[in-house]
Amino acid sequence: MQLHGVGVGRGVAVGIILRVPDPLPEPAVASHSGDAVAEFAAVEVSFAAVAADLLARGAAAGGEAQEVLEAAAMMAGDPSLADDVKLRIEGGSTGERAVFEAFGAFQTLLIDMGGYMAERASDLADVSQRIIAHLRGVAAPGVPISDVPFILVAPDLAPADTALLDLSKVLGLITRDGGPTSHTAILARSKSIPAIVGVVGALDLVDGTVIIADAAAGTILIAPSDAAIAEAEARITERAAALAAPITDGALADGTLIPLLANLGSPKEAAAAVELGAEGVGLFRTEFLFLDAKTAPTVEDQQAQYTELLSHFAGKKVVVRALDAGADKPLAFLNNAHEENPALGLRGLRALRASEQILRDQLTALVNAQNATEADLWVMAPMVSDAEEAAYFVTLGKELGLKTVGVMAEVPSLAVLADQVVELSDFVSIGTNDLTQYTLAADRMLGSVASYQDPWHPAVLRLVKMLGDAGTAAGKPVGICGEAAADPQLAVVLVGLGATTLSMTPAALADVRAALAEVTMEQAVAKAKAALAAHTAAAARNAAAAT
Ligand code: PEP
Ligand code: MG
């Protein structure tokens, strides 16, 4: 029997499963003893204790986990949440119930905002559980302790749990909730733990059951045969060898160079990416720096961040994307209006054009950083629809002093008009996440249509080929910066379709490097041709594998 979900990373895990215990029971609707001041004082003590505990866990974990835990600690110290709890206690509620309701209300608010914000809602639920556990004097719910290695199964993992996972014991992660951008996914990726999220039926798995979790395929095989276990174990050994191989520049077996670049969201991630062999940056998501900002960032603030990023890549290419606000990445200062279909709304370049001063400030900050450092800065616009929009962005960027200016191919219309676009643009970078969403008309944040969000679909591959062909004809580079580039088998096909560089989450670099080294350009082109002729995403994947 098999379960399915969204795989994170390329790993495989074989082992028994253990489930995170059920959450604490919901506090009863009840009145406190009458002393609201004492009731709130006890809650304040618990808020402070939980914040301190999260900070201590963060300090012990370090790195990205520390940032996540510090953000959770800030939630526990949020004065507006404390005020809401106080009001509820003054209205007669017990401390426990007031915490439960106040956090619940804030969670609903985040879920309604959708996208990145909605995925932070489970972080808030965890902080609430910890505070209630402290008030009750019981242990906070968390990861089970085991002497034998296991695959952890949970509704969703709280950052506090994921950050402190004992990697000598936890072979893999499976969650019922969460999407590819949930914290479980982000942290699993950064720690290279095989993970599958959004698995319907995950919580029906019984402790002690042996499974094979295959993140690349997004499948969980329950009670597998000995032969299946032996095959999975061989894959684990093979992958470990590939990951341990010396880091070289990305290249095919015939020597064709395919630079392997990193997708980053903060200058702080640069050093780790370089260590994993990133030959530069193929996508710097600038909006991640300003997700919480209420007002547009100043030129100086931005310049400092961009200069820090570029300083890690002297002599190397760094592709920075102009702010991509909207849909899954809302920015209050760029597009605050309510939209029925935000993915089809005023996002990306459309929003920047409507607030041109914000775009000019960002490009000016980038020009200043370019001129102050030795990196080879390329700048691109997100969500570009046609040659007119491409010309607008390229002309403005050059006028302000940028050297290399290009566009992202995320909207299918841009691929259809690829020949016109490559004439004006210095380069094109294909964002396969959005290109897939728009080609298959399936919201990338919506679990119910997740099966459509598959970049192996021949319709997506045909658009990539149109862009690749146009780039080759005009002598312009065409890179890939969507998640598709992190799938080693698909990466080979994308190169066969004309991609000249691949950019991905740094944890995926080793697997992709190993896959490229196994094929010649001729073989990559043959695999691409087989995939293009398939009728479905699954058939394209199989056709490429069989070629
Ligand atoms: C994409 O759409 O493929 C992409 C790289 O951009 P983002 O995921 O940030 O929308
Ligand atoms: Mg995109």
Side-chain angles (χ1 to χ4, degrees):
M1 194 190 147
Q2 268 198 355
L3 298 178
H4 298 267
V6 179
V8 180
R10 322 307 317 157
V12 179
V14 181
I16 58 158
I17 69 113
L18 283 184
R19 282 182 45 180
V20 167
D22 291 334
L24 298 172
E26 180 180 320
V29 181
S31 305
H32 59 68
S33 58
D35 186 350
V37 175
E39 193 78 13
F40 183 62
V43 172
E44 275 189 306
V45 169
S46 294
F47 264 74
V50 168
D53 176 53
L54 290 167
L55 288 176
R57 283 164 177 261
E64 190 166 1
Q66 182 163 12
E67 282 173 35
V68 171
L69 290 173
E70 282 173 0
M74 266 175 73
M75 291 177 181
D78 186 329
S80 60
L81 268 167
D83 285 350
D84 189 2
V85 172
K86 191 170 179 212
L87 273 178
R88 289 171 197 269
I89 291 176
E90 284 166 358
S93 184
T94 62
E96 281 184 24
R97 184 73 201 175
V99 169
F100 177 79
E101 287 179 359
F103 276 74
F106 197 47
Q107 245 184 296
T108 310
L109 199 78
L110 289 184
I111 290 168
D112 288 346
M113 287 169 80
Y116 176 87
M117 292 302 177
E119 294 198 339
R120 303 286 81 81
S122 65
D123 306 356
L124 204 62
D126 173 63
V127 175
S128 156
Q129 288 263 313
R130 283 170 191 279
I131 294 171
I132 294 170
H134 191 269
L135 280 167
R136 280 185 193 171
V138 300
V143 176
I145 313 263
S146 162
D147 290 336
V148 288
F150 62 96
I151 297 169
L152 185 65
V153 176
D156 198 0
L157 276 177
D161 295 332
T162 328
L164 284 192
L165 287 179
D166 175 355
L167 295 185
S168 66
K169 289 283 155 37
V170 179
L171 303 167
L173 302 174
I174 293 177
T175 64
R176 177 196 59 191
D177 304 332
T181 52
S182 62
H183 263 139
T184 303
I186 293 169
L187 290 176
R189 214 174 269 128
S190 75
K191 289 180 183 289
S192 288
I193 309 173
I196 306 181
V197 300
V199 180
V200 177
L203 301 188
D204 298 331
L205 289 168
V206 178
D207 276 0
T209 308
V210 174
I211 63 163
I212 297 175
D214 182 341
T219 55
I220 294 155
L221 192 58
I222 301 167
S225 65
D226 289 349
I229 292 179
E231 196 252 348
E233 280 173 347
R235 279 177 62 197
I236 293 171
T237 313
E238 207 175 281
R239 182 161 185 264
L243 296 184
I247 292 174
T248 51
D249 283 354
L252 301 181
D254 57 17
T256 310
L257 291 177
I258 307 292
L260 297 178
L261 311 169
N263 288 355
L264 303 181
S266 154
K268 294 194 186 72
E269 298 163 4
V274 170
E275 219 160 276
L276 288 167
E279 296 168 56
V281 177
L283 169 63
F284 184 72
R285 293 180 160 106
T286 54
E287 60 284 347
F288 280 19
L289 297 172
F290 307 112
L291 282 175
D292 298 327
K294 299 277 178 295
T295 53
T298 62
V299 171
E300 293 71 28
D301 278 355
Q302 295 190 70
Q303 192 177 320
Q305 300 265 14
Y306 305 148
T307 305
E308 185 186 339
L309 170 74
L310 295 182
S311 64
H312 288 272
F313 295 97
K316 305 240 172 85
K317 175 163 112 177
V318 177
V319 185
V320 173
R321 168 170 79 188
L323 291 166
D324 182 17
D328 55 321
K329 301 178 282 282
L331 292 180
F333 58 87
L334 251 175
N335 53 351
N336 221 1
H338 174 75
E339 297 175 330
E340 280 300 321
N341 294 301
L344 303 180
L346 194 66
R347 60 167 297 200
L349 182 61
R350 304 167 185 188
L352 291 169
R353 224 171 162 177
S355 303
E356 195 181 281
Q357 193 53 46
I358 293 180
L359 174 58
R360 284 178 173 270
D361 284 353
Q362 183 174 31
L363 297 181
T364 302
L366 284 163
V367 169
N368 295 345
Q370 166 192 270
N371 296 342
T373 58
E374 303 297 317
D376 179 17
L377 175 67
W378 296 21
V379 177
M380 63 186 181
M383 284 290 294
V384 181
S385 306
D386 58 21
E388 189 278 331
E389 286 191 352
Y392 163 78
F393 185 76
V394 174
T395 308
L396 183 62
K398 296 254 162 127
E399 232 172 64
L400 292 172
L402 289 170
K403 293 181 185 139
T404 309
V405 189
V407 297
M408 289 185 77
E410 304 184 284
V411 185
S413 56
L414 196 93
V416 173
L417 300 167
D419 57 328
Q420 298 178 358
V421 173
V422 292
E423 290 301 322
L424 318 148
S425 185
D426 291 333
F427 69 98
V428 173
S429 179
I430 308 177
T432 50
N433 307 334
D434 276 315
L435 186 62
T436 308
Q437 151 165 274
Y438 295 123
T439 303
L440 277 306
D443 186 338
R444 67 193 262 196
M445 304 305 293
L446 201 59
S448 56
V449 290
S451 62
Y452 288 88
Q453 185 69 29
D454 191 335
W456 274 99
H457 197 286
V460 179
L461 301 182
R462 287 182 186 209
L463 292 177
V464 171
K465 178 157 173 26
M466 290 169 82
L467 289 155
D469 287 349
T472 308
K476 299 282 174 73
V478 175
I480 311 277
C481 65
E483 287 301 307
D487 172 342
Q489 303 321 320
L490 185 49
V492 167
V493 167
L494 294 169
V495 168
L497 294 171
T500 52
T501 57
L502 299 170
S503 188
M504 65 205 74
T505 178
L509 287 165
D511 283 334
V512 172
R513 187 182 298 115
L516 294 183
E518 284 173 9
V519 294
T520 62
M521 182 59 95
E522 200 180 324
Q523 288 169 321
V525 169
K527 282 174 181 289
K529 205 167 160 207
L532 284 173
H535 286 200
T536 64
R541 199 181 271 115
N542 292 338
T547 304

